[in-house]
Amino acid sequence: MTETPPFSGSLTRRRFLAAASAALLPAPAFAQAMGEGNVDIAIVGGGAAGIAAARKVADAKRSYVLLEAGPKLGGRARTLNVFGQNVDLGASGFARGDGTLAESAQAAGQGLVALPSGRRLFDGRREAHESGYDAFTAALGKARRDLLAAADTGKDPAAAAVLAAASGAPATVSGWSATAAAFLGPLSCGRPLASLSALDLALRDAPPDDTTGPAGMGALMEALGAWLNVQTDAPVTQITNAGRLHMLTVRNQRTPIRARAIILAVPAPVIAAGAIRFNPALPPRFANAFRAIPAGALEQVAFLLPGNPLGLEPNETVLARVGVDGKVPPALLRGHINGSDVHVLTFADAQAREIAEKGETAALALVRTYLGATFGIAGDTVKEVSASRWTSDPLFRGALAAASPGQGAQRRVFADPLQNRIFLAGDYVDTSGWGTLTAAWSAGEAAATRALRLVGDGPA
């Protein structure tokens, strides 16, 4: 999933810029074979990074194939029809000015719509006073400065330890400081600050999402990949170095695919779990780097909230002040989807894992508890929910990947090729924009550029 970047944007007194479709015309896929089962470039993974890479390779008129393990393209950008509305239960937007995703969408004839420029703070069941916005702004800004200062020392402690040392109190104290801590850790990365690298968080600096597709980001991703040479339901189980070629073993296919270069655009947790075997084995420094950035847990739950009781603008996001007793876990509310009664809550960490394990029964209980305690909305107002389960899905195994304490420098390893011919792409590759849809798209394009340089830019 694409989550709100933690350190970007500025906050105003009444809103804070939080660091939280026309059909595509068909075109030739440019997958002419070098021989049966042979291509110049094989792209593994059909999320944003894989789609971006495949489009660039196709534009260069090289032979290629895009292999997606699931039934359709999009990755963690997934649009579902929920309660009569197109709803994203994954990545829901991107930063228009950061990278080429917007340009690619417009060049493909896809419309784009702006997301609300601000997010709301709530405190005690109503919008926060100006002093609340000021306090949260100050807490978030101080956290950023403290993390940057810690990074400058050359050490990489847990983010929670940095913030506690700087404030002289635990980062879990109640109030706006605790809300900022929840926003930086669980609600952005799906893990508590105690398990996150201060360096990795300090290096992260991505603009907030301000744009989406009119039918949803999942629908936009599918449209951008509609004319590509794609094999769905084609999980790659092994990649073998055969000298000048690499061979990809695809489940239920008798003949391996041979490629001169590979773009590996599957989620980092999938690689870390060993779902794809490498022959020879993944080099230790790569294996260690993947283990150093475990996935967080973030799940989204859609539900109907009739009458827009919070008075939200369409697609507006709300962050509520963390409760004093700590009994109600933090969550992010994306409300009034496309002007409808559909709302979406994002839960993190333990609550997200509970949803992934137990499904919509657990999700319904969490939604009712949160709405009641945070906004005073009666639990029986919500009758039914629809929930994501990214954490338990073997094709994803969680949300974005963030470094553990002491491991913040490991992300730089992903800039290097594997076995000279395998180029990594995904939202985890960028050291500053990691965890965003824009970073995934840009990483796919960058990997394609390097693969094309290896195989040559002219026609096959």
Side-chain angles (χ1 to χ4, degrees):
M1 283 175 276
T2 298
E3 300 308 320
T4 307
F7 299 137
S8 57
S10 60
L11 288 89
T12 65
R13 290 180 180 272
R14 304 304 295 171
R15 294 284 190 277
F16 66 93
L17 294 178
S21 106
L24 188 65
L25 295 176
F30 296 120
Q32 295 87 357
M34 298 160 48
E36 185 177 359
N38 290 2
V39 292
D40 284 320
I41 300 173
I43 301 109
V44 184
I51 294 169
R55 288 173 60 90
K56 195 170 187 68
V57 174
D59 286 344
K61 297 180 172 57
R62 303 304 307 192
S63 60
Y64 76 99
V65 64
L66 174 56
L67 301 166
E68 166 53 39
K72 62 182 181 179
L73 299 179
R76 284 192 299 262
R78 181 177 296 172
T79 304
L80 302 176
N81 189 274
V82 178
F83 308 118
Q85 288 289 322
N86 285 332
V87 178
D88 286 315
L89 289 185
S92 57
F94 66 98
R96 186 178 186 126
D98 189 30
T100 61
L101 175 52
E103 295 173 9
S104 298
Q106 290 176 319
Q110 297 299 306
L112 297 173
V113 296
L115 292 172
S117 60
R119 317 289 172 93
R120 287 197 190 182
L121 287 175
F122 266 61
D123 183 11
R125 303 184 177 184
R126 66 189 65 184
E127 185 175 2
H129 295 299
E130 293 177 359
S131 59
Y133 281 91
D134 291 342
F136 181 81
T137 302
L140 202 59
K142 183 177 186 303
R144 174 170 169 75
R145 292 191 297 273
D146 292 341
L147 290 168
L148 288 170
D152 287 342
T153 68
K155 299 179 181 179
D156 187 17
V162 170
L163 301 187
S167 66
T172 54
V173 295
S174 63
W176 291 115
S177 293
T179 306
F183 183 71
L184 292 173
L187 295 179
S188 288
C189 303
R191 288 160 48 201
L193 286 172
S195 72
L196 294 172
S197 154
L199 174 61
D200 206 28
L201 279 182
L203 291 175
R204 193 183 191 207
D205 187 12
D209 294 342
D210 58 13
T211 306
T212 190
M217 284 309 304
L220 178 60
M221 288 295 109
E222 289 187 73
L224 289 172
W227 57 268
L228 297 172
N229 183 44
V230 178
Q231 290 184 25
T232 55
D233 296 310
V236 173
T237 59
Q238 181 166 304
I239 298 175
T240 301
N241 186 345
R244 293 185 63 191
L245 296 172
H246 275 60
M247 295 191 300
L248 298 91
T249 302
V250 180
R251 185 177 299 156
N252 299 325
Q253 292 187 17
R254 296 179 62 181
T255 304
I257 294 172
R258 296 172 178 84
R260 296 170 61 194
I262 295 173
I263 297 171
L264 191 56
V266 302
V270 174
I271 301 174
I276 299 176
R277 299 187 302 275
F278 293 86
N279 181 21
L282 202 64
R285 73 188 190 99
F286 281 93
N288 292 337
F290 279 111
R291 285 194 292 267
I293 56 164
L298 291 164
E299 303 294 350
Q300 297 188 341
V301 185
F303 54 93
L304 287 174
L305 198 58
N308 191 18
L310 300 179
L312 303 180
E313 298 176 13
N315 303 311
E316 195 168 28
T317 299
V318 170
L319 174 64
R321 182 175 178 175
V322 171
V324 175
D325 57 13
K327 292 181 179 180
V328 179
L332 275 175
L333 176 67
R334 183 160 46 95
H336 202 27
I337 304 298
N338 298 328
S340 73
D341 288 336
V342 180
H343 293 57
V344 176
L345 271 170
T346 298
F347 291 98
D349 199 25
Q351 289 71 39
R353 290 193 295 273
E354 182 181 359
I355 292 170
E357 178 184 354
K358 299 179 181 179
E360 291 171 352
T361 300
L364 177 60
L366 285 167
V367 167
R368 287 175 168 175
T369 298
Y370 183 83
L371 292 178
T374 306
F375 304 116
I377 296 173
D380 59 4
T381 302
V382 178
K383 309 293 185 183
E384 184 181 0
V385 299
S386 179
S388 66
R389 301 180 78 170
W390 302 110
T391 310
S392 59
D393 189 327
L395 299 184
F396 300 97
R397 300 175 185 261
L400 71 167
S404 299
Q407 305 297 318
Q410 293 277 18
R411 203 180 290 274
R412 297 189 180 97
V413 171
F414 305 129
D416 296 334
L418 267 167
Q419 300 173 357
N420 299 318
R421 293 181 177 274
I422 303 175
F423 303 94
L424 301 175
D427 68 295
Y428 65 91
V429 172
D430 191 343
T431 57
S432 64
W434 53 267
T436 66
L437 193 66
T438 303
W441 188 269
S442 297
E445 291 189 326
T449 297
R450 299 170 72 193
L452 287 167
R453 190 177 299 127
L454 177 67
V455 303
D457 292 329

